[in-house]
Amino acid sequence: EIVLTQSPTTMAASPGEKVTLTCLASSSVNYMYWYQQKSSASPKLLIYYTSSLASGVPDRFSGSGSGTSYSLTISSMEAEDAAIYYCLQLTSTPPTFGAGTKLELK
Amino acid sequence: QVTLKESGPGILQPSHTLSLTCSFSGFSLSTYGMGVSWIRQPSGKGLEWLASIWWNGNTYNNPSLKSRLTVSKDTSNNQAFLKVTSVDTADTATYYCAHTRYNSGYGYYFDYWGQGVMVTVSS
């Protein structure tokens, strides 16, 4: 199965700061998907097909990448963005998630 | 508007069979491209895909759970089901069902998730 490695594991950002989260795949994938999970809530889809913004997601979020290297960028950190972010690959069965990046507000 | 809600026993004993129900609205599991997937998350840990069922009846299970998983659907009542046999403490987790969308040429993804149901395996 494809292993997704997310970095950093944990980070803190100040309001207004640009944030970039990385997801590396053990084999090439066609697309990457990104989810946000707050506290005990269910994961929320942010980005699909690597760079498409899900409905209702603020445009400060963006995704990019190809092959084995993908990233999620928040152009300007806001307090409500503090959460755990997971990447997901669906190219190969079974689908696999990264271990997550915990983003905190500084 | 797509909504999903999971229901289950809450607590069950080791070696027993876990039965979960996903009740949904806003889509039909008989419509081309629609599916329901099950994903679980142990407390404080990451996400693990378990299984998916599609509009055409095709099902896919995570090989890591071998033959312990059975996924099914009741299209008329807008429900999907997951059974996990021979549970042990490692199956303690929050179980989510998620609306799964397939687009020809692009593949599929999980867009809407239920609130999750916590399941504890304990004697």
Side-chain angles (χ1 to χ4, degrees):
Chain A
E1 70 179 43
I2 294 179
V3 176
L4 300 181
T5 302
Q6 291 189 241
S7 61
T9 301
T10 305
M11 70 171 293
S14 301
E17 184 178 346
K18 181 180 180 179
V19 173
T20 299
L21 310 181
T22 298
C23 180
L24 297 181
S26 60
S27 297
S28 181
V29 300
N30 296 331
Y31 302 105
M32 193 61 71
Y33 305 80
W34 293 91
Y35 293 83
Q36 177 194 66
Q37 187 175 34
K38 296 183 179 180
S39 300
S40 56
S42 56
K44 172 187 174 183
L45 177 67
L46 297 176
I47 301 289
Y48 62 101
Y49 301 151
T50 300
S51 58
S52 295
L53 201 62
S55 176
V57 175
D59 61 6
R60 64 179 179 275
F61 289 90
S62 64
S64 64
S66 64
T68 60
S69 181
Y70 293 83
S71 62
L72 172 72
T73 299
I74 306 172
S75 61
S76 179
M77 175 75 178
E78 296 195 8
E80 66 182 23
D81 299 336
I84 299 176
Y85 293 83
Y86 294 96
C87 56
L88 163 70
Q89 70 80 23
L90 295 167
T91 297
S92 173
T93 299
T96 49
F97 292 87
T101 291
K102 184 175 184 179
L103 175 61
E104 299 173 326
L105 183 67
K106 191 184 293 182
Chain B
Q1 179 188 4
V2 172
T3 64
L4 308 98
K5 186 173 184 179
E6 307 85 350
S7 58
I11 186 167
L12 72 164
Q13 295 182 339
S15 81
H16 287 204
T17 295
L18 170 61
S19 294
L20 298 172
T21 299
C22 176
S23 301
F24 56 84
S25 63
F27 69 99
S28 172
L29 256 182
S30 62
T31 300
Y32 174 87
M34 297 296 106
V36 169
S37 299
W38 290 92
I39 299 125
R40 71 181 178 182
Q41 184 175 37
S43 180
K45 297 188 177 180
L47 298 157
E48 179 183 31
W49 171 79
L50 298 176
S52 299
I53 186 165
W54 292 98
W55 79 96
N56 56 9
N58 287 349
T59 62
Y60 299 89
N61 295 350
N62 193 322
S64 69
L65 280 85
K66 294 183 173 62
S67 57
R68 296 176 55 213
L69 300 176
T70 302
V71 61
S72 59
K73 62 185 174 88
D74 179 349
T75 302
S76 300
N77 289 306
N78 287 341
Q79 292 181 317
F81 310 97
L82 177 71
K83 289 189 187 297
V84 185
T85 61
S86 304
V87 298
D88 67 12
T89 55
D91 296 308
T92 295
T94 296
Y95 286 74
Y96 298 100
C97 61
H99 175 258
T100 306
R101 185 185 304 273
Y102 171 77
N103 289 320
S104 179
Y106 290 90
Y108 67 100
Y109 58 97
F110 317 133
D111 47 9
Y112 300 97
W113 295 51
Q115 64 188 28
V117 61
M118 189 172 296
V119 174
T120 301
V121 180
S122 175
S123 54

